Amino acid sequence: IADMGYTVIAADLPGHGPSDMPKALTLRIIGEDIEKLLQEIKAEPVVILGYSLGGYAGLSWALKHPTRVVGVWMHGTKFFWSGEEAENLGAELELAFLEENHPERLQRLRELHGEGKLDAILPWLNKLVTSLPDIGLTRMDLEEAQFPVMVSAGDRDELVPVNEVVDLYRALPRGQLCILPDTNHPLSSVRDHVFLPIFRDFLNRLE
């Protein structure tokens, strides 16, 4: 999308990819890192595109800084959490569970994030996920989102059911909805030739 006049910044969440491992991982720390990045590169106003937890964090930051946001796109982001769902996903983020049940996934994650860093961040991801039902964003928070928010997910997303995606879209004052066909939760299943034209159209319609 650089040909549309945008400067594209690909940012990893704290502790993810090549980014530094924080002492802890909370929504507050993620928001502070987003703020530090945008201040450092003096990039405003912004369009935020976030995948999974990145979409949740991006919306959380945008709600605190609405005048600095043109639009938000959340892909594959689970917004509505029950205590049981959070506990179940938290358990799946434990190192022992991944070693026993998903060794190939664990290897891919270590390749993406680094073996030592992944082992350190998994307990913090567990705590973050299991805390969302109690301290996460609410439906009332969504009412404050007076900027365009595209909510997208794959029709075969194992984490985010389509009905939850629709509920989130309907709860947003300026929500938009996109369901990608034959697409699972991993970002690798999103096909560029399907996603990019829709994303460019979203950008073209921003004020």
Side-chain angles (χ1 to χ4, degrees), residues 60-171:
S60 181
W61 180 88
L63 287 169
K64 292 181 174 66
H65 308 278
T67 62
R68 298 161 61 188
V69 178
V70 181
V72 174
W73 186 306
M74 307 165 63
H75 177 73
T77 297
K78 185 171 178 61
F79 184 88
F80 303 106
W81 291 92
S82 69
E84 182 179 1
E85 288 174 324
E87 290 291 339
N88 289 341
L89 182 58
E92 292 178 9
L93 292 171
E94 293 179 357
L95 182 60
F97 177 87
L98 290 169
E99 288 176 333
E100 180 177 352
N101 298 282
H102 301 287
E104 294 181 356
R105 180 188 176 200
L106 179 60
Q107 181 58 34
R108 290 195 301 271
L109 290 171
R110 282 175 167 159
E111 291 171 358
L112 282 171
H113 307 297
E115 181 169 351
K117 190 163 60 175
L118 178 70
D119 294 0
I121 202 172
L122 281 174
W124 284 108
L125 284 172
N126 180 303
K127 291 181 180 179
L128 175 58
V129 168
T130 54
S131 71
L132 288 177
D134 298 318
I135 66 169
L137 297 172
T138 67
R139 283 184 179 270
M140 290 184 64
D141 293 323
L142 296 178
E143 296 174 4
E144 303 299 318
Q146 298 299 323
F147 41 80
V149 181
M150 176 69 82
V151 180
S152 70
D155 61 346
R156 300 186 180 186
D157 194 309
E158 315 86 64
L159 178 64
V160 192
V162 170
N163 65 296
E164 287 190 15
V165 181
V166 174
D167 286 346
L168 177 56
Y169 144 72
R170 288 176 173 166

Side-chain angles (χ1 to χ4, degrees), residues 1-10 38 41-47:
I1 63 169
D3 64 323
M4 299 174 66
Y6 287 91
T7 298
V8 182
I9 307 297
L38 295 179
I41 63 178
K42 297 179 173 58
E44 290 185 28
V46 295
V47 178

